Amino acid sequence: MNARTLNRQQLETLSFSELTSLADEYGIEVPENLDRRFLIGELLDITSEELIAENTKEEMKISSELPHAHKTVLPKNYNETQVCAILRTPSWAFVFWNISDSDSNKMKVLPGCTLMLRVCSLESPEDQMPTEAFEIKVTADNQEQYVLLPSGKKYIRIELVFVAGQTGKVLAFSPVLEIPQGSKFVTDYQPGRDTDYSKIAEISGIKKLLLEQYNNYGHTFA
């Protein structure tokens, strides 16, 4: 039922039976011998509440259905060339990248152009030249890849490069990743190799723990 505007002057002109019928429309139970003034008061209260609710509903509808409203669509390409790397474990990094339209167009006109991820090992975060590096070929339509990191390295930088013939160019490079370093007792452990442990370490049972770790999870030592 749509809310209607009622005022006391209008209700005062109605008979008691008409007021009762109106109250029935609004679901108001009318006890016997109810005072006419109380019935008019109830009708005014409920019609006022419904009018407020109806106005609120209209305001919400107007605010959510503006004539110029449109869905927000995120761009597929932010038109910036960049590469980022997130360390998942000390052995794996998740690498994702984006290539601008201008760089993409340049690569398209170069014959035999190949996109690469170059994994660079650094002695310190400030180093420009890597001590070691290797490259991973990626497809042009791909924008993410997991990369297995070299073991025993403390700092890694990922470079996005393209190679055409004998020439190559670094398009972007990631922030330097610092690889967490484990205890040499664990990383260098080999069964049968003599290792000097402190007295406290020997009492702790470290030899047995390392042997069990190696037997059960030897691949994590690589």
Side-chain angles (χ1 to χ4, degrees):
M1 180 188 303
N2 293 332
R4 68 181 75 174
T5 304
L6 297 178
N7 55 52
R8 184 173 295 276
Q9 288 77 12
Q10 291 176 322
L11 296 177
E12 290 287 358
T13 62
L14 301 179
S15 64
F16 187 81
S17 60
E18 289 173 330
L19 291 174
T20 304
S21 299
L22 187 58
D24 188 59
E25 291 183 29
Y26 286 100
I28 300 175
E29 294 186 5
V30 181
E32 293 183 3
N33 301 323
L34 179 66
D35 189 282
R36 175 188 175 88
R37 290 174 299 173
F38 285 109
L39 181 53
I40 291 175
E42 287 290 330
L43 285 169
L44 290 173
D45 289 341
I46 196 167
T47 54
S48 176
E49 290 174 2
E50 288 200 359
L51 185 60
I52 292 173
E54 188 71 22
N55 290 338
T56 303
K57 183 177 179 182
E58 287 297 324
E59 289 175 2
M60 294 175 63
K61 183 178 179 181
I62 292 172
S63 61
S64 62
E65 297 180 5
L66 295 174
H68 302 294
H70 60 277
K71 293 183 179 179
T72 301
V73 180
L74 293 176
K76 183 179 180 180
N77 191 319
Y78 288 95
N79 207 25
E80 292 183 9
T81 300
Q82 55 186 348
V83 59
C84 298
I86 300 174
L87 195 65
R88 183 182 181 190
T89 70
S91 299
W92 289 92
F94 178 67
V95 183
F96 57 99
W97 60 92
N98 188 69
I99 301 176
S100 68
D101 293 339
S102 59
D103 285 336
S104 180
N105 292 333
K106 290 177 183 178
M107 289 188 291
K108 287 179 181 178
V109 299
L110 294 174
C113 182
T114 304
L115 193 63
M116 299 277 195
L117 292 178
R118 181 181 293 157
V119 183
C120 303
S121 301
L122 309 173
E123 288 290 341
S124 71
E126 294 79 19
D127 287 350
Q128 298 299 317
M129 297 299 296
T131 56
E132 296 179 11
F134 65 91
E135 294 175 345
I136 304 171
K137 183 178 179 180
V138 295
T139 58
D141 58 345
N142 194 18
Q143 289 184 288
E144 59 185 43
Q145 181 160 328
Y146 278 100
V147 173
L148 179 62
L149 303 176
S151 61
K153 307 300 180 183
K154 190 171 183 181
Y155 300 103
I156 297 291
R157 182 179 67 229
I158 307 295
E159 297 178 348
L160 181 66
V161 302
F162 77 85
V163 179
Q166 300 299 318
T167 62
K169 179 182 178 181
V170 177
L171 297 175
F173 52 86
S174 73
V176 175
L177 296 176
E178 183 175 357
I179 312 301
Q181 303 297 302
S183 169
K184 289 189 176 295
F185 282 144
V186 177
T187 56
D188 297 342
Y189 178 81
Q190 292 291 333
R193 177 188 294 175
D194 291 333
T195 304
D196 292 330
Y197 299 105
S198 66
K199 293 295 184 181
I200 294 178
E202 288 187 0
I203 294 173
S204 71
I206 189 172
K207 289 184 178 181
K208 182 179 178 181
L209 290 172
L210 289 175
L211 180 59
E212 291 179 353
Q213 173 76 4
Y214 184 87
N215 291 334
N216 295 326
Y217 308 102
H219 60 280
T220 62
F221 287 70

